[in-house]
């Protein structure tokens, strides 16, 4: 290790092996320096320089030792303390510039700092010049408000982050005494951050120290563990303290530990495997249909989890129908599938469902949730036109990259070109920036609109450079008018318009978030669209692969599905990469991606847990149950009861999945979580269950009317000459897509045998009971 000036430091880490596994022995080790005049080890296991030269550092644990060479230089001149390099990281570390403290919009008690130090000029002026310079006092640094508040010598709402006489105190005191210097022009800046270890598997209760190293623009490095801000994305599983010490919890799982310093991030993945051993051959012998299976099995082996068994044919049939077309199979389709002896019938089923016309309506509804504007804002015709375009795109299986390019660079009449409606609704470049980046790249730029993103690398220059792509969007026509009908508006590339950086006032040129974008002749949005959809842009394919995976598997590899960032890593990065590569190689074909996922062995696992995966909620050791969406559920009720629903502003026979606006009244759809039409999209529906939903299934008059309708399925079955047992089987096939067990059949037949219940009433009662069950409400 090299210590290049008097203020240099290096945190120590001692690793050993216990029972065949690596363990952190830093706190058990005793340290000695061969030449104590050259360097010293502090009680908190940090090496500090004393005199130029070279020496050996020795760590001893029990009867074993390890050695490292320490080289010391630059001791003849102490490096001056500067604001950006030394003081600002300290303000961030102690939370002084965080949202709850002085980083909030109006500051705290008259003292405001930029959030997380994104504006050094503002912060330096606030400390040194505001309040008539009362916050710092170079003639007597100890009397500065900055120090007296931080040490609680004077009352301070933020507590006592710094102890008098500590190293942090001395850094601030010296900075004030030396004249409160800024970093000299051309000073090296932080260009990267590294954390060690980058990945670690530990047992419950273990600890692991981390070391964070900053890389500077001049090629130098520095240990900044003491200045880094640490965070765990699953603190209940793995916690981390302010010194970077990781503490494993008492249950298996995994977490990402992120370290932040000067706008740079590094992450350490920590895994706590399930106790006990599983023979390696168990994973080697698991079936594999495509690349998905091997990557999931490898992750399960790493965690000590074992997958559930493959689900039965009836469950798979119902699951596949609802996932691909949002519609239950008919009893005839169920019987045919269950009786088919072909070993390839599941893959054949997936292919057949992807060609059904209901596929387009089911998947278009998902995208209309994200893009549908309020007709009271942009007009009925414009919303209907956008809806029709999206449904046509899915019917024609438009490649996804073309789908996105058409939206991002949309032009023309809102009465003729559906995607143009999006630019009628979203009129500000800033608003378009947050929507486009989040939906199509999985990058949330909202924070960067006002300050540097607290958990990512994006800053205001990134945000407004991206927003500049939309600055030249022109509009001709009625604009946003109050009448619900709304007038026609033409969207076009005006060739004029600009956007300025809010701090510097500089006119921003269109710039991608990274890499280079192709030149555009007329419309900057075309350049953006081709940069976004380029095969070399990893975010584009990953976010849609993650979104589709979450739709089919119950939870995304990244959650939320549109928040891809270093501090929110996927649970299986290799799998997400493989899905994205498969999607690109398949020509951005959504059907190909769906087929790949649904023909994997992982998709076909049972939802019932075993004793070695009951704790799993993110690694797909079993299938995760999902509640049917509002439209799926209402269509299923109509199909089961044989009584269709009637919707305002829709043709007779319209299904819930074909409704073009959430303004169509429906108590059922509202109860089961369709998006609120009064909220601005993108807004994804909430899949949670509620007491209101339970009560609605039990007591809703409309649902009762469908079950008891004289033209409904219950009345038809009761009036037929079919035996009671066949009626029960028919109801189970309609609702659960399977035949009843002998016990279930006996319970249902007991209802028919009750003396005061006629055959029709018994049929209705059994049907109502099945509809009110969890097996109907969920995709298992």
């Amino acid at each position: 290790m090299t210590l290049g000036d008097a203020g240099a430091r290096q945190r120590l880490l001692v690793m050993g092996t216990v029972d065949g596994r690596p363990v952190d022995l830093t706190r058990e080790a005793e340290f000695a320096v061969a030449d104590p005049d050259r360097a010293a080890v502090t009680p908190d296991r940090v090496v500090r320089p004393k005199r130029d030269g070279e020496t050996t550092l020795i760590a001893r644990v029990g009867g074993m030792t390890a050695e490292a060479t320490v080289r010391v230089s630059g001791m003849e001149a102490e490096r001056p303390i500067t604001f950006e390099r030394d003081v600002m990281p300290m303000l961030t570390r102690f939370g002084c510039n965080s949202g709850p403290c002085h980083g909030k919009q109006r500051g705290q008690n008259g003292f405001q700092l930029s959030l997380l130090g994104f504006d050094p000029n503002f912060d330096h002026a606030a400390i040194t010049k505001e309040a008539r310079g009362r916050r710092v006092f170079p003639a007597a640094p100890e009397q500065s408000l900055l120090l007296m508040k931080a040490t609680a010598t004077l009352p301070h709402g933020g507590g006592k982050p710094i102890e008098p006489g500590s190293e942090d105190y001395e850094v601030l005191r010296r900075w004030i005494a030396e004249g409160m210097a800024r970093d000299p022009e051309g000073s090296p800046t932080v260009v990267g951050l590294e954390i060690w270890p980058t990945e670690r598997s530990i047992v419950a209760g273990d600890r692991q120290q981390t070391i964070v190293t900053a890389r500077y623009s001049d090629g130098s490095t520095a240990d900044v563990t003491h200045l880094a801000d640490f965070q765990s994305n699953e603190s209940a599983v793995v916690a981390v303290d302010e010194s970077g010490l990781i503490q494993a919890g008492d249950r298996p799982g995994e977490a990402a530990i992120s370290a932040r310093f000067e706008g740079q991030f590094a992450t350490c993945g920590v895994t706590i495997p399930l106790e006990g051993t599983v023979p390696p051959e168990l994973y080697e012998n698991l079936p594999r249909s495509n690349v998905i299976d091997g990557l999931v099995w490898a992750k399960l082996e790493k965690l000590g989890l074992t997958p559930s068994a493959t689900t039965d044919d009836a469950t798979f049939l119902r699951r596949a129908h609802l996932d691909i077309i949002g519609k239950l199979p008919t009893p005839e389709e169920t019987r045919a599938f269950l009786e088919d002896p072909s070993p390839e019938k599941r893959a054949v089923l997936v292919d057949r469902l992807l060609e059904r016309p209901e596929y387009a309506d089911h998947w278009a509804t998902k995208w209309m949730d994200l893009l549908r504007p309020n007709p009271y804002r942009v007009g009925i015709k414009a919303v209907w036109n956008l809806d029709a375009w999206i449904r046509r795109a899915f019917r024609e299986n438009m490649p996804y990259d073309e789908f996105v390019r058409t939206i991002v660079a949309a032009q023309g009449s809102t009465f003729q070109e559906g995607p143009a409606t999006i630019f009628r609704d979203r009129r500000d470049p800033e608003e378009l920036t947050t929507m486009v980046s989040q939906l199509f790249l999985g990058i949330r730029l909202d924070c960067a609109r006002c300050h540097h993103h607290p958990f990512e690398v994006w800053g205001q220059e990134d945000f407004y450079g991206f927003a500049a792509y939309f600055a030249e969007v022109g509009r001709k026509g009625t604009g946003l008018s109050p009448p619900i009908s709304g007038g026609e508006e033409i969207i076009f590339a005006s060739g004029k318009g600009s956007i300025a950086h809010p701090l510097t006032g500089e006119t921003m040129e269109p710039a991608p978030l990274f890499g280079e974008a192709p030149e555009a002749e007329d419309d900057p949005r075309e350049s953006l669209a081709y940069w976004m959809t380029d095969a070399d842009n990893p975010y584009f394919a990953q976010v849609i692969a993650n979104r589709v995976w979450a739709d089919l598997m119950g939870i995304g590899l990244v959650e939320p599905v549109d928040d891809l960032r270093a501090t929110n890593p996927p649970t299986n990065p290799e799998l997400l990469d493989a899905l994205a590569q498969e999607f690109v190689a398949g020509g951005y074909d959504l059907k190909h991606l769906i087929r790949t996922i649904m023909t994997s062995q992982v998709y076909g696992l049972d939802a019932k847990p075993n004793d070695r995966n009951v704790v799993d909620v993110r690694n797909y050791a079993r299938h995760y149950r999902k509640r049917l969406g509002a439209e799926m559920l209402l269509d299923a009720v109509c199909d089961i009861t044989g009584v269709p629903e009637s919707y305002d502003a829709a043709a007779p026979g319209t299904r819930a999945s074909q409704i073009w606006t959430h303004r169509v009244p429906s108590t059922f759809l509202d109860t089961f979580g369709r998006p609120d039409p009064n909220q601005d999209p993108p807004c994804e529906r909430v899949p949670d269950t509620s007491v209101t939903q339970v009560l609605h299934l039990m007591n809703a008059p409309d649902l009762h009317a469908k079950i008891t309708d004289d033209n409904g399925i219950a009345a038809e079955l009761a009036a037929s000459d079919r035996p009671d047992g066949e009626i029960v089987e028919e109801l189970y096939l309609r609702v659960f897509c399977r035949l009843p067990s002998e016990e279930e059949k006996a319970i249902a037949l007991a209802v028919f045998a009750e003396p005061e219940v006629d055959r029709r009433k018994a049929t209705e009662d059994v049907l109502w009971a099945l509809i009110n069950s969890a097996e109907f409400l969920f995709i298992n």
Side-chain angles (χ1 to χ4, degrees), residues 217-476:
S217 55
D218 63 353
S220 63
T221 61
D223 175 15
V224 294
T225 311
H226 62 298
L227 292 173
D229 184 39
F230 295 92
Q231 187 178 34
S232 170
N233 70 339
E234 291 287 350
S235 56
V237 178
V238 180
V240 62
D241 67 13
E242 62 181 13
S243 69
L245 179 64
I246 293 170
Q247 177 68 58
D250 58 0
R251 61 185 178 89
E254 56 186 341
I257 305 300
S258 61
R260 180 181 70 215
F261 176 75
E262 292 294 272
Q264 300 289 331
F265 296 86
T267 58
C268 168
V270 182
T271 301
I272 308 175
L274 189 65
E275 291 184 0
T277 58
V278 180
E281 55 268 21
L282 183 147
Y283 300 100
E284 295 171 4
N285 296 329
L286 289 172
R288 290 166 168 79
S289 296
N290 56 40
V291 65
I292 292 172
D293 300 315
L295 293 173
V296 172
W297 303 154
K299 184 61 181 293
L300 297 185
E301 183 175 14
K302 181 179 177 181
L303 291 167
L305 304 172
T306 58
S308 294
T310 300
T311 196
D312 59 78
D313 283 344
T315 301
F316 184 89
L317 173 71
R318 186 176 190 268
R319 181 189 298 172
H321 268 257
L322 290 173
D323 278 344
I324 296 180
I325 65 174
K327 181 181 180 182
L328 291 172
T330 65
E332 293 74 24
E333 289 172 328
T334 300
R335 289 183 184 276
F337 185 78
L338 296 181
E339 294 169 3
D340 185 353
S342 170
E344 304 297 327
K345 65 181 182 180
R346 294 191 178 192
V348 171
L349 171 68
V350 170
D351 287 333
R352 188 169 67 245
L353 290 174
L354 286 170
E355 299 306 316
R356 291 269 293 262
E358 298 96 327
Y359 161 83
D361 288 326
H362 179 59
W363 285 85
T365 297
K366 298 176 186 292
W367 274 97
M368 282 305 293
D369 279 355
L370 303 172
L371 296 170
R372 180 189 286 120
N374 190 330
Y376 281 89
R377 175 175 165 84
V378 303
I380 287 176
K381 188 171 182 178
V383 176
W384 184 89
N385 195 31
L386 173 61
D387 179 271
W389 179 82
I390 290 179
R391 292 179 192 277
R392 184 168 67 252
F394 277 90
R395 282 197 299 272
E396 297 172 356
N397 196 31
M398 179 185 291
Y400 180 70
D401 59 336
E402 180 184 345
F403 175 82
V404 173
R405 283 197 298 269
T406 305
I407 290 174
V408 172
Q411 296 191 44
S413 167
T414 57
F415 282 7
Q416 297 176 10
E417 303 295 334
T421 299
I422 295 170
F423 291 90
R424 174 173 170 80
D425 182 43
R426 303 279 176 165
R427 307 183 78 81
D428 296 328
E430 294 91 340
E431 193 176 17
L432 287 162
T433 294
T434 56
M435 184 191 78
V436 169
S437 64
Q438 181 174 339
L439 281 184
F440 302 129
L441 296 176
I443 298 174
R444 298 190 175 192
L445 289 176
D446 300 42
C447 295
R449 183 173 185 170
C450 301
H451 52 79
H452 197 287
H453 196 300
F455 303 114
E456 256 294 0
V457 297
W458 316 119
Q460 284 184 300
E461 286 198 4
D462 301 303
F463 182 93
Y464 289 98
F466 197 96
Y469 282 110
F470 303 105
E472 296 183 9
V473 175
R475 298 170 178 85
K476 289 182 181 179

Side-chain angles (χ1 to χ4, degrees), residues 39-165:
V41 178
T42 66
D44 56 347
R45 279 74 173 175
V46 174
V47 181
R48 303 303 299 265
K50 296 176 70 176
R51 187 164 61 89
D52 286 355
E54 185 175 300
T55 186
T56 301
L57 174 65
I58 304 166
R60 180 176 288 103
V61 180
M64 306 189 72
T65 61
E67 296 182 356
T69 300
V70 181
R71 297 183 179 90
V72 179
S73 62
M75 293 299 291
E76 68 281 354
E78 194 170 37
R79 181 179 65 82
I81 303 295
T82 59
F83 184 66
E84 282 89 341
R85 179 156 182 159
D86 301 296
V87 176
M88 280 187 58
M90 195 181 301
L91 298 176
T92 302
R93 163 75 173 240
F94 293 127
C96 305
N97 54 22
S98 64
C101 201
H102 298 287
K104 69 173 71 170
Q105 187 173 11
R106 300 187 183 278
Q108 184 81 6
N109 294 332
F111 179 28
Q112 181 183 359
L113 296 170
S114 65
L115 186 62
L116 301 178
F118 78 93
D119 188 352
N121 293 326
F122 178 89
D123 293 345
H124 188 266
I127 294 172
T128 62
K129 297 179 182 178
E130 285 184 1
R132 292 175 293 183
R134 292 173 59 244
R135 296 189 176 115
V136 286
F137 190 25
E142 297 82 0
Q143 300 301 311
S144 300
L145 279 179
L146 186 67
L147 279 173
M148 297 180 75
K149 289 276 191 177
T151 57
T153 305
L154 292 178
H156 181 224
K160 187 181 181 180
I162 298 177
E163 289 291 336

